[in-house]
Amino acid sequence: MTSEMKPEFPAGPWLAHLVAHSLEEDIGPGDASTAVAVDPARRARALVVPRRDGVTAGLPLLAMVYGQLDPDVRVRLLAEDGQAVPAGRPIAELEGPAAAILTGERTALNFLQYLGGIATQTSAYVAAVAGTDCLVLDTRKTLPGYRALAKFAVRCGGGSNHRLGLYDRIMIKDNHWAARREDLASVVARARREFPDLAVEIEVDDLEQLAGVLPLGVEWVLLDNFPVKDIPPAVALRDQAGVATRLEASGNVTLETVGGYARAGVDAVSVGRLTHSVQAWDLGLDFDLPDGVVA
C-alpha cells in the first residue's frame, strides 16, 4: 500500500473506552498467573511475530493497550498498517516490565489478530479483481463496537468502505420495499427532499425489478444474489437506460466467484464475510532472549 493510500486510523474517546474495557474484562481484579510466576522487577524484550503471511492493521492499538496498562512498556513498530508481512518477520517490539508485557499480551494480540485477519482476507479479494475497475466493499456486518476498526482494516487490505451506518446513505432493501408507505418513485423523491446530501441505493432481486428501478436515476442499485450469468444483461439494461447508476453485486460472493462478478462488469462487489466470519491472523508474542531478560 502506498503512502497516498494509507488509511487514517480511527480516533476518539470511544476507542480509549474500548481498550480500557478490553483490558478490564481480561484482567479483572488482577493477573493471578503473572503475580505468582514473574518477578515484578524483571524487565524483558518481546517481539510480535506472525505465524503466517498477512496484512497488518491496527498497530497503533499496541501503544494504546500498553499505555493504559503500564506506560513503562515501550512499543516500537517494525511495520506499518496495510503492509504485507511474511510469516516470521516481527511487526513490533515491546520492552519494559515483563509482568506488564505478559498481562497485556492477549488483549493486544486479540486486536491485531482480528483486524489483521480482516485486512488479509480483504487483500485476497482485491487481488482476485485485479485488472478490473471493480471495488471490493465491506458491509455493516461487524462486531458491535468494532465497526470503525473493522472498516479501517478493510481499507488496510485495499478494500473500500460501503456506508458506515444508517446515517450516511439511503439504502432501500427488500424489507423496506415490503414496508414502504408509498410507491418507490415517491420514496426516492422524499429522500432527495429530506436528505439531499445522501446517495440513494435500491436493492433488486431480478432483472425485471432492475428495469423498473433504473428510470429513477439513483446513484446505486444493489443486485442481490444475482448469478454471474445475469450480470452482463444487468449492465446492458443500465447502459441502455442512459443513467449514471452504478451496479453493486452482493450475496454469497466468495473468493472463488468475486473475479467472475468483476469481469462481468459490476462497479462493486460487497462482501459480508470480510468482517463477519474472518479468520484471525495468527500472531504470537515471543521473548527474543533465551530467558526473556534484557541484557
Side-chain angles (χ1 to χ4, degrees):
M1 179 174 293
T2 66
S3 58
E4 291 77 18
M5 296 173 60
K6 186 176 181 180
E8 183 177 355
F9 186 71
W14 64 271
L15 187 53
H17 293 321
L18 178 62
V19 170
H21 176 71
S22 300
L23 285 167
E24 171 62 26
E25 72 177 358
D26 197 35
I27 299 170
D31 178 357
S33 302
T34 298
V36 300
V38 179
D39 180 350
R42 171 166 283 192
R43 298 182 67 82
R45 182 186 298 120
L47 299 172
V48 180
V49 182
R51 308 305 192 206
R52 61 183 177 90
D53 298 352
V55 177
T56 54
L59 288 173
L61 285 159
L62 276 173
M64 295 187 69
V65 167
Y66 283 104
Q68 289 195 26
L69 183 62
D70 186 341
D72 196 24
V73 176
R74 182 181 66 84
V75 176
R76 184 167 73 95
L77 300 182
L78 305 176
E80 61 180 22
D81 281 334
Q83 181 177 339
V85 180
R89 178 182 295 175
I91 61 174
E93 179 189 69
L94 309 176
E95 185 177 329
I101 292 174
L102 290 168
T103 296
E105 173 184 0
R106 179 43 50 204
T107 299
L109 292 186
N110 281 350
F111 277 118
L112 297 189
Q113 288 181 310
Y114 174 58
L115 299 179
I118 293 173
T120 300
Q121 180 152 273
T122 301
S123 69
Y125 276 81
V126 171
V129 304
T132 75
D133 294 325
C134 182
L135 299 175
V136 174
L137 302 175
D138 54 23
T139 70
R140 288 166 44 243
K141 297 175 182 176
T142 57
L143 291 176
Y146 277 74
R147 179 164 299 166
L149 288 173
K151 285 181 173 282
F152 167 78
V154 167
R155 298 195 301 276
C156 286
S160 301
N161 295 149
H162 204 284
R163 56 179 179 162
L164 298 178
L166 297 173
Y167 51 85
D168 58 346
R169 179 180 295 196
I170 292 173
M171 190 166 182
I172 310 300
K173 297 175 70 67
D174 53 354
N175 287 334
H176 295 103
W177 277 70
R180 70 187 187 275
R181 57 183 173 181
E182 51 195 342
D183 65 89
L184 203 54
S186 298
V187 171
V188 173
R190 180 185 295 274
R192 300 302 192 196
R193 291 194 308 272
E194 297 185 12
F195 301 94
D197 296 329
L198 298 186
V200 177
E201 181 166 9
I202 299 176
E203 176 184 293
V204 300
D205 295 330
D206 54 43
L207 292 169
E208 182 179 357
Q209 284 187 347
L210 175 62
V213 163
L214 286 170
L216 300 177
V218 296
E219 285 79 6
W220 285 89
V221 170
L222 186 149
L223 309 176
D224 189 41
N225 287 306
F226 271 47
V228 173
K229 68 180 180 61
D230 284 349
I231 299 301
V235 173
L237 279 174
R238 188 271 311 275
D239 294 345
Q240 291 163 11
V243 293
T245 299
R246 304 177 77 185
L247 301 179
E248 170 192 341
S250 187
N252 295 313
V253 178
T254 68
L255 191 56
E256 292 71 33
T257 63
V258 67
Y261 281 100
R263 291 187 292 273
V266 292
D267 300 290
V269 175
S270 54
V271 185
R273 70 186 67 227
L274 295 183
T275 55
H276 73 55
S277 55
V278 68
Q279 180 183 3
W281 188 24
D282 190 3
L283 298 173
L285 184 70
D286 298 336
F287 279 23
D288 73 333
L289 295 176
D291 61 0
V293 179
V294 175

